[in-house]
Amino acid sequence: SQQGEEDPQALSIQEGENATMNCSYKTSINNLQWYRQNSGRGLVHLILIRSNEREKHSGRLRVTLDTSKKSSSLLITASRAADTASYFCATAAQIYSGGGADGLTFGKGTHLIIQP
Amino acid sequence: NAGVTQTPKFQVLKTGQSMTLQCAQDMNHNSMYWYRQDPGMGLRLIYYSASEGTTDKGEVPNGYNVSRLNKREFSLRLESAAPSQTSVYFCASTWTGRGGGYTFGSGTRLTVV
C-alpha cells in the first residue's frame, strides 16, 4: 500500500515562482526522502530529512518535516523550466538503525510543470 | 561511475514467455531493490536484497523471482509473463546503515502482449 500521498497531484506555475508540494504518510519513519523523475527516466535523489530534523536546505530546495502531523513539504524556489518533472516523497521505516534496508515506500507523486 | 545499470531498456514479451531483467551497481552498495511503476502510480517494491546472500519479498512479489548473484548484481525473473506485468521496472541500490538516498537505474520498459 502507498505510504506517502503527495498533494497536489499536478501543479503548473510560471518560471521564477516558488513551487510547494506536500506529502503525508501513515506510519513511523526513520527518514523521508524526495526524488525527481523526468519523463521516461529513472528517479534522482534530491534530499533526505531524518525523523529528528525539522528543516533542511539544499540549493533551491527546502524540506520541512512535521512528525506529529506525519507530513512533509518540498519547496523549490525561483523555479526554472528544467524543474518540470514528477516529484515523489518516499519514507524509510524505523526498522534498522540506518532506516530503509527493507526499501522505501513511495507516494504517487506531484507532476510539476514550469511555464516559461 | 556508471551507478546502476539495467538491461535491457525495452522488451516486448508474449504471454507465457520468460525473461530476466539484469541490474548491476558499481558503488559497493550492500542493499539492492526492484520496483515497478505503473501509470499514475508511485513505485511499488517487488523484491529486495538487504545484503549479499539475502532476498525478501516486497509489496508485490507474485509472478517474480530474484537472484542476488553477488554484491554487484541483482536480477529479476519473470517465469511466465502476464499482461498485468506490463510496467516500467526500476532497480535501485543504497548503503543501508548510513541512511542515505537510493540510486536508481534508468528503467526497463516491459510490454507483455
Side-chain angles (χ1 to χ4, degrees), chain B residues 8-86:
Chain B
K9 294 191 184 303
F10 301 93
Q11 184 71 49
V12 178
L13 289 179
K14 293 182 179 179
T15 298
Q17 287 185 319
S18 63
M19 80 162 293
T20 299
L21 282 65
Q22 307 287 352
C23 174
Q25 53 90 10
D26 62 1
M27 297 166 288
N28 202 34
H29 286 165
N30 59 338
S31 300
M32 298 184 73
Y33 306 84
W34 277 105
Y35 286 89
R36 61 178 287 174
Q37 184 178 33
D38 300 298
M41 300 285 289
L43 278 70
R44 291 184 292 169
L45 184 63
I46 305 171
Y47 269 95
Y48 66 98
S49 172
S51 61
E52 187 178 357
T54 69
T55 60
D56 286 283
K57 295 178 180 179
E59 181 186 353
V60 289
N62 292 345
Y64 305 95
N65 283 301
V66 290
S67 295
R68 184 75 181 266
L69 305 171
N70 48 55
K71 191 170 187 179
R72 291 186 63 247
E73 298 173 288
F74 188 38
S75 63
L76 178 71
R77 182 161 179 83
L78 286 71
E79 291 291 351
S80 179
S84 60
Q85 294 178 305
T86 293

Side-chain angles (χ1 to χ4, degrees), chain A residues 94-114:
Chain A
Q94 264 181 337
I95 296 179
Y96 294 86
S97 60
D102 62 339
L104 297 175
T105 304
F106 285 82
K108 295 181 180 181
T110 292
H111 186 53
L112 175 65
I113 297 174
I114 308 300

Side-chain angles (χ1 to χ4, degrees), chain A residues 10 25 29 39 41 44 46 77 84 96 101 107:
Chain A
Y25 58 92
I29 61 172
S39 181
R41 308 291 293 272
V44 175
L46 295 176
T77 60
T84 293
Y96 294 86

